[in-house]
Amino acid sequence: WLAGLCNAGPFWGVAGLLDLHSMPPIAPRGSSPPPSYVVGDRFGASCDSRLVAAISAYFEQHGRTSACNRPYAGGHVLERHGNPADGIHAVQLEIDRSVYLDSGLSRLGDGYPGVVRLLSGLVRHLAAEATLLASENAGLQGWRDAAE
């Protein structure tokens, strides 16, 4: 899969890597609710800011709280594989365990099916956004070739 990822960005104009993680619940600060999702892009080094903004907007549209890069900015996978200049966009997504596990944080809970639907929708949303990004950056020729 790695060879495919490394070649996909330059060939198709865009490739995406969504690195999923779970995180312990974050304690609230002040009056704002803590984020249920933390999007990491190594402070812009591993992904185009338009894709990160699209993720944040998606969560907001679905009534979910999210943060960017704090407290998790992304680690080795993003550093090693994210290369937006070559069209390879890597994002780490931390998900609060209390969103999808039971109250003991040991078994799948009632929220699990909703998280699956939310993340499935996010992947579709990112695919559409990445297609727009690729068409803006390189024209549509690669996409026309793919369709043929």
Side-chain angles (χ1 to χ4, degrees):
W1 69 268
L2 182 55
L5 176 66
C6 293
N7 294 325
F11 185 79
W12 296 111
V14 68
L17 169 62
L18 183 59
D19 187 20
L20 298 176
H21 292 246
S22 70
M23 66 179 181
I26 297 174
R29 284 191 192 170
S31 62
S32 298
S36 297
Y37 299 87
V38 176
V39 181
D41 69 347
R42 298 188 57 78
F43 298 96
S46 67
C47 186
D48 188 285
S49 63
R50 291 173 285 185
L51 294 176
V52 175
I55 295 169
S56 296
Y58 178 84
F59 285 133
E60 185 175 338
Q61 290 166 359
H62 288 84
R64 304 308 196 283
T65 56
S66 68
C68 189
N69 288 315
R70 299 209 194 275
Y72 304 101
H76 173 77
V77 170
L78 272 59
E79 181 180 9
R80 175 94 168 96
H81 304 298
N83 188 351
D86 281 343
I88 302 170
H89 304 275
V91 173
Q92 178 173 302
L93 181 60
E94 294 279 351
I95 305 168
D96 181 338
R97 293 178 192 128
S98 67
V99 172
Y100 64 91
L101 294 178
D102 65 6
S103 61
L105 302 179
S106 60
R107 285 180 263 218
L108 293 179
D110 293 340
Y112 179 74
V115 170
V116 170
R117 284 189 301 276
L118 183 74
L119 294 180
S120 296
L122 176 62
V123 169
R124 287 189 297 275
H125 181 69
L126 282 175
E129 292 294 327
T131 300
L132 290 173
L133 183 63
S135 67
E136 290 171 8
N137 289 344
L140 292 173
Q141 187 57 45
W143 295 100
R144 287 190 194 111
D145 291 346
E148 293 176 8

PDB file of all heavy atoms in Angstrom, residues 2 5-6 17 42 46 75-83 88 90:
ATOM      1  N   LEU A   2       2.028   1.171   0.650  1.00  0.00           N
ATOM      2  CA  LEU A   2       2.887   2.336   0.753  1.00  0.00           C
ATOM      3  C   LEU A   2       3.413   2.761  -0.612  1.00  0.00           C
ATOM      4  O   LEU A   2       3.417   3.950  -0.934  1.00  0.00           O
ATOM      5  CB  LEU A   2       4.046   2.059   1.709  1.00  0.00           C
ATOM      6  CG  LEU A   2       4.995   3.218   1.946  1.00  0.00           C
ATOM      7  CD1 LEU A   2       4.246   4.448   2.422  1.00  0.00           C
ATOM      8  CD2 LEU A   2       6.061   2.814   2.938  1.00  0.00           C
ATOM      9  N   LEU A   5       0.691   4.565  -2.324  1.00  0.00           N
ATOM     10  CA  LEU A   5       0.498   5.913  -1.795  1.00  0.00           C
ATOM     11  C   LEU A   5       1.560   6.858  -2.323  1.00  0.00           C
ATOM     12  O   LEU A   5       1.260   7.964  -2.771  1.00  0.00           O
ATOM     13  CB  LEU A   5       0.534   5.883  -0.262  1.00  0.00           C
ATOM     14  CG  LEU A   5       0.431   7.243   0.435  1.00  0.00           C
ATOM     15  CD1 LEU A   5      -0.946   7.852   0.189  1.00  0.00           C
ATOM     16  CD2 LEU A   5       0.697   7.111   1.916  1.00  0.00           C
ATOM     17  N   CYS A   6       2.807   6.418  -2.312  1.00  0.00           N
ATOM     18  CA  CYS A   6       3.901   7.276  -2.770  1.00  0.00           C
ATOM     19  C   CYS A   6       3.768   7.639  -4.241  1.00  0.00           C
ATOM     20  O   CYS A   6       4.158   8.722  -4.658  1.00  0.00           O
ATOM     21  CB  CYS A   6       5.247   6.597  -2.519  1.00  0.00           C
ATOM     22  SG  CYS A   6       5.627   6.433  -0.773  1.00  0.00           S
ATOM     23  N   LEU A  17      -4.084  10.033   3.232  1.00  0.00           N
ATOM     24  CA  LEU A  17      -3.836   9.067   4.283  1.00  0.00           C
ATOM     25  C   LEU A  17      -4.533   9.592   5.532  1.00  0.00           C
ATOM     26  O   LEU A  17      -4.228  10.689   6.002  1.00  0.00           O
ATOM     27  CB  LEU A  17      -2.340   8.919   4.530  1.00  0.00           C
ATOM     28  CG  LEU A  17      -1.901   8.130   5.768  1.00  0.00           C
ATOM     29  CD1 LEU A  17      -2.368   6.684   5.687  1.00  0.00           C
ATOM     30  CD2 LEU A  17      -0.399   8.185   5.917  1.00  0.00           C
ATOM     31  N   ARG A  42       0.503  18.065  11.682  1.00  0.00           N
ATOM     32  CA  ARG A  42       1.865  18.520  11.997  1.00  0.00           C
ATOM     33  C   ARG A  42       2.007  20.011  11.708  1.00  0.00           C
ATOM     34  O   ARG A  42       2.973  20.450  11.119  1.00  0.00           O
ATOM     35  CB  ARG A  42       2.921  17.693  11.292  1.00  0.00           C
ATOM     36  CG  ARG A  42       2.871  16.220  11.739  1.00  0.00           C
ATOM     37  CD  ARG A  42       4.014  15.391  11.230  1.00  0.00           C
ATOM     38  NE  ARG A  42       5.332  15.857  11.577  1.00  0.00           N
ATOM     39  CZ  ARG A  42       5.916  15.694  12.765  1.00  0.00           C
ATOM     40  NH1 ARG A  42       5.283  15.085  13.738  1.00  0.00           N
ATOM     41  NH2 ARG A  42       7.135  16.131  12.969  1.00  0.00           N
ATOM     42  N   SER A  46       1.926  18.248   6.857  1.00  0.00           N
ATOM     43  CA  SER A  46       1.594  16.964   6.235  1.00  0.00           C
ATOM     44  C   SER A  46       0.337  16.986   5.371  1.00  0.00           C
ATOM     45  O   SER A  46       0.002  15.982   4.746  1.00  0.00           O
ATOM     46  CB  SER A  46       1.432  15.880   7.318  1.00  0.00           C
ATOM     47  OG  SER A  46       0.297  16.138   8.112  1.00  0.00           O
ATOM     48  N   GLY A  75       2.216  12.173  14.360  1.00  0.00           N
ATOM     49  CA  GLY A  75       3.525  11.619  14.681  1.00  0.00           C
ATOM     50  C   GLY A  75       4.259  11.084  13.477  1.00  0.00           C
ATOM     51  O   GLY A  75       4.220  11.657  12.382  1.00  0.00           O
ATOM     52  N   HIS A  76       4.890   9.949  13.684  1.00  0.00           N
ATOM     53  CA  HIS A  76       5.788   9.352  12.697  1.00  0.00           C
ATOM     54  C   HIS A  76       5.116   9.116  11.343  1.00  0.00           C
ATOM     55  O   HIS A  76       5.705   9.409  10.300  1.00  0.00           O
ATOM     56  CB  HIS A  76       6.348   8.032  13.246  1.00  0.00           C
ATOM     57  CG  HIS A  76       7.148   7.272  12.239  1.00  0.00           C
ATOM     58  ND1 HIS A  76       8.437   7.633  11.900  1.00  0.00           N
ATOM     59  CD2 HIS A  76       6.832   6.200  11.470  1.00  0.00           C
ATOM     60  CE1 HIS A  76       8.890   6.802  10.973  1.00  0.00           C
ATOM     61  NE2 HIS A  76       7.945   5.916  10.698  1.00  0.00           N
ATOM     62  N   VAL A  77       3.921   8.588  11.338  1.00  0.00           N
ATOM     63  CA  VAL A  77       3.257   8.267  10.068  1.00  0.00           C
ATOM     64  C   VAL A  77       3.090   9.525   9.219  1.00  0.00           C
ATOM     65  O   VAL A  77       3.376   9.523   8.018  1.00  0.00           O
ATOM     66  CB  VAL A  77       1.896   7.574  10.319  1.00  0.00           C
ATOM     67  CG1 VAL A  77       1.095   7.449   9.038  1.00  0.00           C
ATOM     68  CG2 VAL A  77       2.121   6.205  10.937  1.00  0.00           C
ATOM     69  N   LEU A  78       2.659  10.611   9.829  1.00  0.00           N
ATOM     70  CA  LEU A  78       2.477  11.857   9.078  1.00  0.00           C
ATOM     71  C   LEU A  78       3.810  12.443   8.648  1.00  0.00           C
ATOM     72  O   LEU A  78       3.953  12.921   7.514  1.00  0.00           O
ATOM     73  CB  LEU A  78       1.710  12.882   9.920  1.00  0.00           C
ATOM     74  CG  LEU A  78       0.200  12.819   9.828  1.00  0.00           C
ATOM     75  CD1 LEU A  78      -0.361  11.485  10.249  1.00  0.00           C
ATOM     76  CD2 LEU A  78      -0.426  13.943  10.620  1.00  0.00           C
ATOM     77  N   GLU A  79       4.785  12.406   9.555  1.00  0.00           N
ATOM     78  CA  GLU A  79       6.109  12.937   9.222  1.00  0.00           C
ATOM     79  C   GLU A  79       6.732  12.160   8.071  1.00  0.00           C
ATOM     80  O   GLU A  79       7.318  12.738   7.161  1.00  0.00           O
ATOM     81  CB  GLU A  79       7.011  12.881  10.448  1.00  0.00           C
ATOM     82  CG  GLU A  79       8.389  13.437  10.191  1.00  0.00           C
ATOM     83  CD  GLU A  79       9.272  13.382  11.435  1.00  0.00           C
ATOM     84  OE1 GLU A  79       8.885  12.763  12.436  1.00  0.00           O
ATOM     85  OE2 GLU A  79      10.370  13.965  11.369  1.00  0.00           O
ATOM     86  N   ARG A  80       6.564  10.859   8.108  1.00  0.00           N
ATOM     87  CA  ARG A  80       7.190   9.991   7.106  1.00  0.00           C
ATOM     88  C   ARG A  80       6.485  10.033   5.751  1.00  0.00           C
ATOM     89  O   ARG A  80       7.127   9.983   4.714  1.00  0.00           O
ATOM     90  CB  ARG A  80       7.194   8.551   7.647  1.00  0.00           C
ATOM     91  CG  ARG A  80       7.705   7.514   6.692  1.00  0.00           C
ATOM     92  CD  ARG A  80       9.174   7.266   6.903  1.00  0.00           C
ATOM     93  NE  ARG A  80       9.602   6.087   6.182  1.00  0.00           N
ATOM     94  CZ  ARG A  80      10.162   6.148   4.973  1.00  0.00           C
ATOM     95  NH1 ARG A  80      10.361   7.294   4.387  1.00  0.00           N
ATOM     96  NH2 ARG A  80      10.532   5.046   4.373  1.00  0.00           N
ATOM     97  N   HIS A  81       5.147  10.107   5.760  1.00  0.00           N
ATOM     98  CA  HIS A  81       4.408   9.911   4.518  1.00  0.00           C
ATOM     99  C   HIS A  81       3.706  11.144   3.972  1.00  0.00           C
ATOM    100  O   HIS A  81       3.403  11.195   2.784  1.00  0.00           O
ATOM    101  CB  HIS A  81       3.399   8.777   4.687  1.00  0.00           C
ATOM    102  CG  HIS A  81       4.036   7.498   5.126  1.00  0.00           C
ATOM    103  ND1 HIS A  81       4.972   6.833   4.361  1.00  0.00           N
ATOM    104  CD2 HIS A  81       3.908   6.784   6.258  1.00  0.00           C
ATOM    105  CE1 HIS A  81       5.383   5.754   5.013  1.00  0.00           C
ATOM    106  NE2 HIS A  81       4.748   5.701   6.164  1.00  0.00           N
ATOM    107  N   GLY A  82       3.410  12.113   4.821  1.00  0.00           N
ATOM    108  CA  GLY A  82       2.741  13.314   4.323  1.00  0.00           C
ATOM    109  C   GLY A  82       3.694  14.182   3.525  1.00  0.00           C
ATOM    110  O   GLY A  82       4.784  14.511   3.990  1.00  0.00           O
ATOM    111  N   ASN A  83       3.298  14.530   2.317  1.00  0.00           N
ATOM    112  CA  ASN A  83       4.120  15.382   1.456  1.00  0.00           C
ATOM    113  C   ASN A  83       3.189  16.160   0.535  1.00  0.00           C
ATOM    114  O   ASN A  83       3.021  15.796  -0.638  1.00  0.00           O
ATOM    115  CB  ASN A  83       5.115  14.530   0.667  1.00  0.00           C
ATOM    116  CG  ASN A  83       6.106  15.377  -0.092  1.00  0.00           C
ATOM    117  OD1 ASN A  83       5.966  16.594  -0.180  1.00  0.00           O
ATOM    118  ND2 ASN A  83       7.114  14.734  -0.659  1.00  0.00           N
ATOM    119  N   ILE A  88       0.545  14.297  -1.625  1.00  0.00           N
ATOM    120  CA  ILE A  88       0.249  13.268  -0.634  1.00  0.00           C
ATOM    121  C   ILE A  88      -0.101  13.963   0.675  1.00  0.00           C
ATOM    122  O   ILE A  88       0.759  14.576   1.317  1.00  0.00           O
ATOM    123  CB  ILE A  88       1.433  12.304  -0.433  1.00  0.00           C
ATOM    124  CG1 ILE A  88       1.800  11.649  -1.769  1.00  0.00           C
ATOM    125  CG2 ILE A  88       1.081  11.242   0.600  1.00  0.00           C
ATOM    126  CD1 ILE A  88       3.097  10.870  -1.741  1.00  0.00           C
ATOM    127  N   ALA A  90      -1.553  13.784   4.472  1.00  0.00           N
ATOM    128  CA  ALA A  90      -1.713  12.866   5.594  1.00  0.00           C
ATOM    129  C   ALA A  90      -2.265  13.621   6.801  1.00  0.00           C
ATOM    130  O   ALA A  90      -1.782  14.695   7.146  1.00  0.00           O
ATOM    131  CB  ALA A  90      -0.383  12.216   5.940  1.00  0.00           C
TER     132      ALA A  90
END
